[in-house]
Amino acid sequence: MLNINSITNGIVIDHISPGNGIKIYYMLELDKADYTVALIMNAQSKKHGCKDMIKIENVLDLDLTALGVMDSNITINLIKDERISEKINLELPHHVEGVLECNNPRCVSTSERNIVHRFSLVDKEKRLYKCDYCDHLYNVED
Ligand SMILES: [Zn+2]
């Protein structure tokens, strides 16, 4: 099995559903990062079979709020001096930009290329978002 050394300082994004790791990698623009990033796909998880993981070295101030929309099972640990200094609980953000995409063909964000898709949370329990442009509702669980 592939062994990836634990990091001394940084962020570990864990319990990502298999296949979502690469999406999160691009969503956080880690492909453009000038720091060390490890994307681990299909790692063995004791609890849930397979999972993806992302380890980011020497960065602690990344904006991770959009991850709550992608995958509610994700856990995030901030690592300092090889110890977990903080566990971040993901909550659904009130507003997201460029994460969800509206698929209403009559929506202005679908027809105009240079409009950023924007959504607002309308129901936290039901994980329901609405498109800011056309008010179409989306459940982010699926
Ligand atoms: Zn829309």
Side-chain angles (χ1 to χ4, degrees):
M1 193 183 142
L2 185 67
N3 182 36
I4 293 116
N5 293 335
S6 60
I7 55 178
T8 309
N9 293 293
I11 304 170
V12 176
I13 307 171
D14 202 355
H15 301 109
I16 305 169
S17 303
N20 275 347
I22 190 82
K23 293 182 200 163
I24 290 167
Y25 180 82
Y26 285 112
M27 197 174 83
L28 296 175
E29 300 190 327
L30 297 175
D31 54 319
K32 296 169 194 154
D34 55 3
Y35 38 84
T36 306
V37 177
L39 167 63
I40 302 136
M41 287 161 62
N42 301 317
Q44 290 302 318
S45 159
K46 284 175 197 126
K47 286 186 222 156
H48 312 287
C50 255
K51 64 174 184 179
D52 289 355
M53 286 175 83
I54 294 174
K55 295 184 180 189
I56 303 165
E57 221 169 341
N58 296 322
V59 175
L60 290 163
D61 59 351
L62 222 54
D63 182 9
L64 302 166
T65 48
L67 297 190
V69 177
M70 289 270 316
D71 193 333
S72 53
N73 298 317
I74 291 174
T75 57
I76 296 170
N77 292 325
L78 301 186
I79 313 291
K80 278 181 191 164
D81 301 324
E82 294 181 350
R83 290 196 191 140
I84 296 171
S85 72
E86 197 181 332
K87 285 178 183 282
I88 297 177
N89 290 318
L90 284 174
E91 287 195 10
L92 289 176
H94 290 283
H95 298 281
V96 287
E97 283 192 10
V99 178
L100 302 167
E101 270 190 28
C102 187
N103 55 23
N104 171 13
R106 281 170 297 181
C107 178
V108 65
S109 72
T110 315
S111 51
E112 306 268 324
R113 274 176 180 275
N114 47 5
I115 286 187
V116 180
H117 292 252
R118 281 209 305 251
F119 286 80
S120 300
L121 184 63
V122 286
D123 192 321
K124 204 174 178 177
E125 302 294 299
K126 293 178 183 159
R127 302 176 62 82
L128 217 55
Y129 279 84
K130 77 168 175 62
C131 173
D132 283 357
Y133 300 100
C134 70
D135 289 345
H136 246 60
L137 292 173
Y138 291 91
N139 187 315
V140 295
E141 206 57 72
D142 39 71

